[in-house]
Amino acid sequence: MKTNRPENPHQAALLRLLRDGPRSRAQLNDLTSDGMSRSKLNAELDRLIELDLAEPDGFAESRGGRRSGLVRLSATTRFAAIDIGATSVDVAVTDGELNVLGHVSEPIDIRNGPAPVLDRVFDLVGKLREQGLYRQLNGAGIGVPGPVSFAEGVPVVPPIMPGWNRYPLRETVSQELACPAMLDNDVNLMALGELHAGVARQVDDFLLVKIGTGVGCGIVVDGRIYRGVSGSAGDIGHMMVDEDGPLCPCGNIGCLEAYFGGSALAAQAESAARNGTSPHLAARLAATGSVTAEDVAMAAAQGDPVAIQLIRDGGRRVGQVLAGLVSFFNPGLVIIAGGVARLGHILLAEIRSVVYRRSLPLATGNLPIVLSELEDVAGVVGAARLISDHVYSA
Ligand SMILES: [Zn+2]
């Protein structure tokens, strides 16, 4: 069984409006005043109901005169959202308005390659199906932690995903789940998630900086992801912050990621533990045999001066890069997200102070720099948003 798609741009625009919730025909008429007559609007809505993409939903409160019929997206609309990370995978099923109906998560190792990871993914999707969350999917959105050719739906030379280079991920998921699929990188999906249901709901132009194992940036222009010519826009982790800096795993010198991000922070924390400057970190190393970014956060919360300094140093480097981006892009909002963002307010304060000091007042006068609101679900909400943008287009 194949699900229907909108037949023209008018129908697609109506579906995107209904994605934000049920509307009366009168409200939809107000929102689409450009170029669609009331009779045309009603005909398109009736057609969407025929196609089982929308359905009647009672009547709106009277605005004086006849009560206007409410319309909503079909109650059977379902999207699968698949957020593949380096060490875990999240799978969710949403309704047409992108409310998460079910969400499961499992540890994986992306370095095992596509076959075993996708086995787990399809198992988790099957589990949600067995729970009765869907009978037929209208689409699936997929995120991976690496560069993606958006046009081809394949990862391209992803540094932390050996075995995935040019693997036909979009096609494989589309065939297995019998629905349209779209693939993007995880940072862009987090930005889409915050745009749809998080802290960027009212913002059309913003940046989302993800600080996880590595560092990346999602760029939203006019309410849409900006991907650049080949899909690599926002790959800021390998911008140079110091030409005399340390060697980065990418082969260049002094990259942002060589200074900050989960891997760099863990390495710096381990050396602080070994050289005896931080008793907190030394205790973690002795207890578990390694130190992680979370250990740094914990040590900082207990007032460990070395841990606090590591976070400040990292925040300053991110702030330097971000100050340049703010001057260049003039965003209305900057969101700090990803696992290392849980270092929280020490990190945020440092980033803010550098950006506010180094960018021009006109760019920062009205620029909130905030932490992610959706945190762990940003990726799956963004994946659902990505595929719904595709399905609700014509
Ligand atoms: Zn690099």
Side-chain angles (χ1 to χ4, degrees):
M1 187 179 89
K2 221 167 118 45
T3 55
N4 291 318
R5 294 278 296 274
E7 299 162 327
N8 61 48
H10 293 306
Q11 292 178 8
L14 289 167
L15 290 170
R16 288 197 300 277
L17 286 169
L18 292 171
R19 185 172 58 186
D20 292 332
R23 303 262 191 214
S24 70
R25 287 177 184 249
Q27 282 172 326
L28 289 168
N29 189 58
D30 293 345
L31 290 165
T32 55
S33 47
D34 47 338
M36 220 187 319
S37 69
R38 182 168 283 226
S39 58
K40 168 89 172 149
L41 171 84
N42 278 322
E44 297 293 11
L45 285 171
D46 291 341
R47 181 65 184 145
L48 286 173
I49 292 168
E50 264 173 47
L51 290 169
D52 196 30
L53 289 165
E55 60 187 44
D57 192 34
F59 288 90
E61 292 293 313
S62 172
R63 299 200 294 189
R66 215 151 53 89
R67 291 203 304 164
S68 176
L70 285 166
V71 183
R72 52 169 285 172
L73 291 176
S74 167
T76 56
T77 304
R78 292 292 182 271
F79 296 113
I82 300 165
D83 184 13
I84 302 174
T87 57
S88 66
V89 61
D90 284 76
V91 175
V93 167
T94 78
D95 62 13
E97 294 168 13
L98 315 190
N99 300 302
V100 174
L101 304 177
H103 179 188
V104 283
S105 182
E106 194 174 285
I108 52 139
D109 187 343
I110 199 150
R111 294 170 300 183
N112 292 338
V117 170
L118 286 177
D119 266 0
R120 296 311 309 134
V121 166
F122 294 136
D123 232 48
L124 292 173
V125 177
K127 225 182 244 178
L128 293 173
R129 181 185 194 144
E130 280 159 27
Q131 290 173 18
L133 292 184
Y134 76 90
R135 287 172 56 193
Q136 168 73 33
L137 291 168
N138 297 65
I142 317 147
V144 291
V148 160
S149 164
F150 187 68
E152 298 166 278
V154 301
V156 179
V157 203
I160 62 166
M161 301 170 64
W164 292 77
N165 184 32
R166 305 207 71 84
Y167 181 83
L169 189 50
R170 184 181 69 197
E171 217 29 62
T172 305
V173 171
S174 172
Q175 276 178 19
E176 177 73 24
L177 300 182
C179 63
M182 294 299 275
L183 174 70
D184 207 339
N185 76 59
D186 57 348
V187 184
N188 286 348
L189 292 193
M190 292 175 89
L192 279 175
E194 296 288 344
L195 175 71
H196 184 78
V199 72
R201 272 187 308 273
Q202 313 292 335
V203 189
D204 283 338
D205 301 274
F206 69 93
L207 300 174
L208 178 139
V209 178
K210 182 195 176 192
I211 313 173
T213 307
V215 182
C217 183
I219 305 166
V220 174
V221 181
D222 255 348
R224 307 171 87 90
I225 293 286
Y226 177 78
R227 297 187 174 85
V229 170
S230 53
S232 75
D235 202 351
I236 64 170
H238 301 282
M239 284 172 67
M240 188 177 70
V241 292
D242 182 355
E243 60 182 3
D244 299 317
L247 184 67
C248 176
C250 80
N252 287 318
I253 298 288
C255 297
L256 177 60
E257 263 185 44
Y259 281 101
F260 199 51
S263 309
L265 191 59
Q268 291 155 6
E270 186 169 331
S271 79
R274 290 194 192 285
N275 68 25
T277 49
S278 166
H280 281 102
L281 294 173
R284 286 303 293 167
L285 182 63
T288 63
S290 70
V291 276
T292 62
E294 289 82 66
D295 296 329
V296 177
M298 220 161 2
Q302 288 164 3
D304 183 284
V306 170
I308 291 172
Q309 195 57 46
L310 286 178
I311 296 171
R312 285 201 178 132
D313 289 345
R316 195 178 66 247
R317 299 291 187 184
V318 172
Q320 282 169 5
V321 168
L322 203 44
L325 299 179
V326 164
S327 297
F328 180 75
F329 179 63
N330 190 196
L333 173 71
V334 172
I335 306 169
I336 309 294
V340 175
R342 293 196 194 108
L343 297 175
H345 287 274
I346 302 174
L347 175 67
L348 193 60
E350 191 66 33
I351 293 175
R352 280 177 175 158
S353 99
V354 176
V355 173
Y356 292 151
R357 202 168 57 234
R358 298 191 47 143
S359 306
L360 289 175
L362 185 59
T364 56
N366 195 13
L367 175 65
I369 302 177
V370 301
L371 295 174
S372 156
E373 195 171 284
L374 298 181
E375 295 191 351
D376 291 341
V377 295
V380 288
V381 173
R385 168 75 184 221
L386 174 77
I387 187 60
S388 71
D389 277 342
H390 173 71
V391 170
Y392 296 154
S393 64

